[in-house]
Amino acid sequence: MKNILNLFLAFCMACTAFACDSNSDVTPENDSKEEKDYDMSGFARGADVSWLTEMEHDGVQFYTLDGEPAECMWLLRELGMNAIRLRVWVNPEGGWNNKADVLKKALRADALGFRLMIDFHYSDWWADPGKQTKPAAWQSLSMDALKEAVAAHTVDVLSELKANNITPEWVQVGNETGNGMLWDEGKAESNMAGYAELNNAGYDAVKSVFPNTQVIVHVHNGYDKNLFAWLFDGLRNNGGKWDVIGMSLYPEPSDWETLTQSCLENVKGLISRYNTPVIICEVGMSRNQAAVCKSFLTRLITESKAIDRCQGVLYWEPQGFEKWSNYDKSAFSDSG
């Protein structure tokens, strides 16, 4: 258990010193973002916690190292995190990650002073390199109607946040879109121009609600320089828009050094090639080799933080412990 907890603490400590005193009387119930001098600026040190409300619905609880019950986002902030990422699905089964669920989590993050990243999947379920499935309600739409649906959905969710005085710092238009999104109309390998049009529908929709929010195009395999050059050259050649390049990095314990080096080189090259910032939206590694994962996170965070215009690193679902999620890259112990 200690090794698993150390894995998670390594992520936080690699970025900043602990923000809390374990003997403090601050609790999730009486705490507020004005009561303590938390570092919520500069390099983003964050986590995607989109499973959180579903986990809580199932009775999952979280604890400090002293065994005291704690609200999860509060605990992440106490450990030094300053950013929260939330995914959005269009019409998901059970309602998890729909507009209402995202708002609940965003309100909690905002109340704690977190910076916020919103991640539109433009799907009813997971969108990733292996699948970019259109929402059921969009299946028969023409290209023009599909662009209108992307824009309307984006505006709808973001307007709900705005109505509740929440302004995201970043918004992703698509999740891990290394081969585009909303297949087949937006499949990059067969229709890069179509992907660029759909991307721009999302980009313009974000700016119509939040003109100063940074729009991210997020691609998997952050170490793959050829993939990023192909996709972003393709977008640029077809009028595609973005403000920040996002990437994921999930090395195995056996290859983390090689892939981390390639990823860091890719970050520098992308900043130079496209004159735009880069943020590492997702990282993770199996917690079964905690010492290796600690080395990986320490190097990645330390060296990316030293790169001018690299905006931050976010761990993917550290709270989604394995006995609930079957996800072995979670960073909490199975006892919370």
Side-chain angles (χ1 to χ4, degrees), residues 51 250 283-284 316-317 320-322 325-330:
W51 268 325
Y250 291 98
V283 297
W316 196 83
E317 300 273 16
F321 54 86
E322 190 171 3
S325 65
N326 295 317
Y327 181 63
D328 73 348
K329 296 178 178 62
S330 60

Side-chain angles (χ1 to χ4, degrees), residues 288-310:
N288 296 322
Q289 295 194 40
V292 179
C293 189
K294 179 179 178 179
S295 296
F296 159 60
L297 292 172
T298 300
R299 181 180 176 194
L300 178 68
I301 293 168
T302 301
E303 295 192 26
S304 60
K305 190 175 182 181
I307 299 172
D308 185 37
R309 304 186 78 189
C310 183

Side-chain angles (χ1 to χ4, degrees), residues 87-201:
R87 64 178 163 270
V88 186
W89 291 336
V90 177
N91 187 26
E93 183 177 352
W96 304 115
N97 305 307
N98 68 5
K99 179 176 68 173
D101 185 47
V102 170
L103 177 62
K104 290 177 185 177
K105 289 174 284 196
L107 285 167
R108 290 166 58 176
D110 185 69
L112 290 166
F114 279 109
R115 302 152 72 183
L116 183 64
M117 181 184 296
I118 296 294
D119 172 20
F120 284 96
H121 282 227
Y122 299 122
S123 181
D124 291 335
W125 195 236
W126 303 102
D128 55 44
K131 56 188 177 298
Q132 295 283 336
T133 306
K134 288 180 288 189
W138 300 5
Q139 287 291 330
S140 61
L141 297 182
S142 67
M143 184 61 169
D144 286 343
L146 199 55
K147 289 187 289 184
E148 291 174 2
V150 166
H153 169 61
T154 304
V155 168
D156 181 43
V157 173
L158 296 183
S159 294
E160 186 74 4
L161 296 180
K162 188 174 185 178
N164 285 274
N165 299 311
I166 298 171
T167 301
E169 186 168 344
W170 309 272
V171 171
Q172 286 184 217
V173 288
N175 186 74
E176 293 191 324
T177 57
N179 195 12
M181 62 187 184
L182 294 161
W183 293 348
D184 286 325
E185 287 83 351
K187 198 165 192 176
E189 66 184 3
S190 56
N191 189 7
M192 185 69 77
Y195 168 47
E197 289 182 45
L198 291 166
N199 173 83
N200 288 358

Side-chain angles (χ1 to χ4, degrees), residues 221-240:
N221 290 354
Y223 57 84
D224 191 339
K225 301 170 191 176
N226 291 334
L227 170 64
F228 278 75
W230 171 77
L231 187 82
F232 285 96
D233 279 358
L235 277 176
R236 183 170 61 181
N237 293 340
N238 285 278

